Structures are given as C-alpha cells and as structure tokens.
Amino acid sequence: MNDLITTVTDGFTSRFGAAPAGLWSAPGRVNLIGEHTDYNDGFVFPFAINRRTVVAFGLRSDRLLRVASSFAEESVELSLDDLAPENLAGWSAYPLGVAWALGQFGADLALVPGFDVFIDSDVPIGAGLSSSAAIESAVAVALNDLWQLGLDRRVLARVGQLAENRAVGAPTGIMDQSASLLGEADSAVFLDCRTLEAEVIPLGFDAAGLELLIIDTRVSHAHSTGGYASRRASCERGARMLGVTSLRDLTVDDLDRALDVLDDETFRRVRHVVTENRRVQDTVRTLREHGPTAIGALLDASHLSMRDDFEISVPELDLAVDTARGAGAIGARMTGGGFGGAAIALTPSALIAAVTAAVTAAFAVRGFTAPDLFVVRAADGAGRQQ
Ligand code: ADP
Ligand code: MG
C-alpha cells in the first residue's frame, strides 16, 4: 500500500507539475460463493480484498479532465463539455465513465470543476479480481468528495455499474462495485441482486486461522463469451418454461416439477442456479451459527454443481480444486464466469505452503501452464487514503 501511495503521489506530481489535493483508494474483490446467480436476480457473497487501486486527484480551475495511469504511457484529456459515452474508449473510459455516470445520478456537470487524476493499482488485471470495479469505485468516492455530491455508497455502486455498462460497454451486474464500496475487514457482503439490499457479514477467518488462497489457472478460453451467453439463455428459457420472472423465484422444492417440464440440459442449468442461491443463504447462516470452518462443504458442493450441472469448469480448475482439497484446504471451488480463470481454496494458514506446493506440482505433472497462487484477505472498502 505504501508503494502505491508513493507511485501515485510521484506520478501525479511529475505528470501534472503540482502536488495532489488528496488520495483515495478502492479494493478488488473475490466472490466467496454465488456464481451465475447475479443475472438470475439471486444472491452473491463477495468480499473486498487487500489489493487496491489508488487515485491521486487535483481539482482544476477550468473544465478540463486529464487522466493518467502507471498502466499507460499516454495521458488522456477531455473537456467536461464533451463527456459522453460515445467519446470514451480504452482504459480511460473507466475513470471518465464514472465522471459521466455521476452526472446521470444527480451531479450537475455544468457546474463542477475539471480535474487531474493519476492512477496506480496492485489488483491484477483480468484475473477475475475486478480491477475494473476497483478503478471505478476509487474514482467514484474521490469525485463524490471533491465535487461534494453527498451520494451514498449504494448509489456509487450503481454509478460504477452504469459507467461499465455504458461507457465501457460491458454488460456486468452490480456485485463487483458493491463489494468494493461496502466491504469491511474480515467480512463479506451478502447481496440480494433483486432488491440490491446488502448486508455485511463477519467471516471470522482471522480468528479461525483461515486464509483464502487464489489459484489463477491462467487459462482463458475463446468460448468463454459464447459459453456465458448460452448459460444466460438457458436460465431465461428455464424461467419462461416454468412461468417465473427469474430463477430467483424458485426454491429447491420446485425442482421436482422442473424435472417434468424441462429438457435434461435446461433442468441441470436451472438446478445449479436454484441450489447455488440456497448455498449462498446456507453459507451466511452457517457462518453465523457455526463459524467459518463449517462452510467448506458448501464451497465443495458449489464446485460440483458448476462442473456437472452448469458445465463451466475446465480440467485445470478441477485439478486445482481436487488437489487443494487433498492437500488440506477445507473447501474449494472455481470462481467467476467459468471456462478458465481462478479457483479459490479456503485453507488453514499453516497449510498454505503445502497446498501451494501440491497444486504447483500437480499442474506440472499434467503439463498444464504453471498456475499463479496467492492469498487474499477480506479488507475495507473504498475510501479516502490521505
Ligand atoms: P477485471 O477482471 O480485472 O475487472 P476487466 O476487463 O473487467 O478485468 O477490467 C480490466 C480493465 O480495466 C483494463 O484492461 C483497463 O482498461 C482497466 N483498468 C484496470 N485497472 C487499471 C489501472 N490501474 N489503470 C488503468 N486502467 C485500468
Ligand atoms: Mg471487471
């Protein structure tokens, strides 16, 4: 964190020739459980992680916006008068898209001053830890303060989502921004994607001596976009055939009826979503009643459901999960959209080294690309840094 503070402060000063007015930051996130439930109006349970994006801001006396990042050679400049989704492209669409989206949520962009911003991050990009929500949330909290907008964090989450949907053009839900803005240390955010109600639930990983190991398989499959779209279509078809608005409206008691009505493949897609929603709720209840060592079986069941019913796993993810469990993780599952990406393994601190070694060795034996393994902790959400 201190390194990031130094790079953004120095980066800002050397690009813009003055010291920044302030620093803000926001974390990436990992989803503990609740996969492919968001677009079915269901439940997810992500937490903010100890990898952050830091932004250094200065206000200007004119209407110019200048954005720079350690991630890019070139700075991008645009007038507030030209701020519109069709004028935004590339990485700067994330920060500038947030500025535009604030205008859609009540900021009077005709009156606010321009700004300079320099951005740095240690959230890995494209590894499924949502570097995109980290940059959006950091910029959103900064501008909310600097432009004195007084928007609450739930609104800022929708600002980030709107920026990503309209300025970047990625049809994402609100999970990532909610985790990044509402997260708290050693806690996760229980989010109802229908009502957008969010509740912060203590995880108790620290007291139980547990850590979450990320196993990035570094696999990305060309058909992940098509696979995601076809799973969404199956869910919509299942809901339509069962006469409900979304799969959120079904419970496990409805699965017998679903078996009679649906073809085998659609039934299995539906069963994943229905049981996954139940597992998210069970995870929250189990944490409260029995603590974190009792949630392992729910993580395992989530993986099997994605592997067998939703069919979005790949051999690398299955190997990561099976090997981590065999080496002492108390529960493990693939996370994210599927067809590659990362698995997570809830692991006693004392066994992190053994699990890491076992997974690395198993990948080498199978001839798979070496995976990247690292621990994340549940951390505080976005805020002012200094
Ligand atoms: P992720 O899974 O990490 O969220 P995305 O494709 O959604 O992957 O978002 C990654 C994109 O966000 C990058 O390609 C870049 O355009 C933008 N981005 C993330 N972090 C930074 C940063 N520090 N500086 C500039 N752009 C960033
Ligand atoms: Mg993203």
Side-chain angles (χ1 to χ4, degrees):
M1 198 58 202
N2 288 337
D3 287 356
L4 289 173
I5 289 171
T6 309
T7 24
V8 289
T9 308
D10 293 353
F12 186 98
T13 308
S14 69
R15 292 274 178 119
F16 302 125
L23 269 53
W24 287 258
S25 76
R29 65 96 189 94
V30 66
N31 190 20
L32 187 58
I33 193 162
E35 223 66 75
H36 287 267
T37 47
D38 57 348
Y39 56 81
N40 289 298
D41 279 353
F43 303 103
V44 293
F45 196 42
F47 63 78
I49 60 173
N50 57 327
R51 300 277 193 122
R52 299 182 84 84
T53 296
V54 182
V55 295
F57 264 89
L59 285 181
R60 302 175 56 86
S61 49
D62 58 16
R63 307 245 323 138
L64 193 60
L65 309 176
R66 292 195 295 181
V67 291
S69 166
S70 58
F71 173 94
E73 298 272 306
E74 297 292 309
S75 353
V76 176
E77 297 191 8
L78 189 76
S79 165
L80 267 166
D81 301 313
D82 298 324
L83 195 56
E86 58 273 20
N87 294 337
L88 304 178
W91 68 269
S92 64
Y94 292 84
L96 293 174
V98 168
W100 166 79
L102 285 166
Q104 305 296 303
F105 279 89
D108 189 345
L109 297 185
L111 293 180
V112 294
F115 59 74
D116 295 328
V117 59
F118 190 92
I119 302 161
D120 193 20
S121 180
D122 65 4
V123 185
I125 287 173
L129 297 176
S130 207
S131 68
S132 55
I135 187 171
E136 290 152 11
S137 303
V139 171
V141 288
L143 289 177
N144 190 44
D145 285 355
L146 287 165
W147 284 347
Q148 301 179 356
L149 303 174
L151 299 172
D152 82 33
R153 279 163 186 267
R154 282 152 213 261
V155 175
L156 294 181
R158 290 167 64 204
V159 166
Q161 183 194 16
L162 185 66
E164 188 144 349
N165 292 168
R166 293 281 307 284
V168 178
T172 51
I174 202 164
M175 167 168 79
D176 301 354
Q177 295 81 4
S178 299
S180 183
L181 283 154
L182 302 174
E184 292 178 19
D186 204 20
S187 302
V189 179
F190 177 39
L191 179 69
D192 181 333
C193 297
R194 171 170 276 170
T195 64
L196 302 187
E197 266 173 70
E199 196 181 347
V200 175
I201 311 284
L203 288 168
F205 287 179
D206 292 351
L210 291 172
E211 295 189 287
L212 196 76
L213 185 63
I214 308 276
I215 307 166
D216 180 2
T217 65
R218 298 164 70 197
V219 173
S220 77
H221 275 295
H223 61 271
S224 66
T225 309
Y228 179 84
S230 83
R231 296 309 182 278
R232 274 189 89 134
S234 292
C235 292
E236 282 161 23
R237 184 167 60 245
R240 201 166 51 241
M241 292 175 74
L242 291 164
V244 291
T245 310
S246 71
L247 297 182
R248 156 66 180 277
D249 298 309
L250 302 174
T251 70
V252 288
D253 295 333
D254 295 309
L255 288 174
D256 280 346
R257 179 171 67 94
L259 188 59
D260 295 336
V261 174
L262 304 175
D263 62 274
D264 172 64
E265 185 184 281
T266 308
F267 172 71
R268 287 184 294 112
R269 305 296 188 251
V270 167
R271 182 165 63 184
H272 165 70
V273 174
V274 172
T275 58
E276 185 79 352
N277 273 327
R278 174 67 175 269
R279 281 186 290 272
V280 177
Q281 294 171 290
D282 285 349
T283 300
V284 172
R285 193 177 46 244
T286 303
L287 276 171
R288 285 186 171 131
E289 291 174 2
H290 305 289
T293 49
I295 68 169
L298 291 160
L299 302 182
D300 294 343
S302 173
H303 184 74
L304 294 183
S305 179
M306 284 189 279
R307 187 189 71 183
D308 300 336
D309 275 354
F310 222 58
E311 295 182 284
I312 55 172
S313 191
V314 291
E316 289 87 346
L317 287 167
D318 293 336
L319 182 66
V321 165
D322 294 345
T323 309
R325 286 288 279 114
I330 66 166
R333 56 182 284 271
M334 55 160 290
T335 181
F339 310 102
I344 56 174
L346 186 59
T347 308
S349 305
L351 294 176
I352 291 287
V355 171
T356 302
V359 172
T360 305
F363 271 59
V365 167
R366 288 278 286 274
F368 292 156
T369 302
D372 192 14
L373 293 99
F374 52 96
V375 164
V376 290
R377 287 193 314 280
D380 281 327
R384 180 148 192 170
Q385 200 65 42
Q386 57 178 239

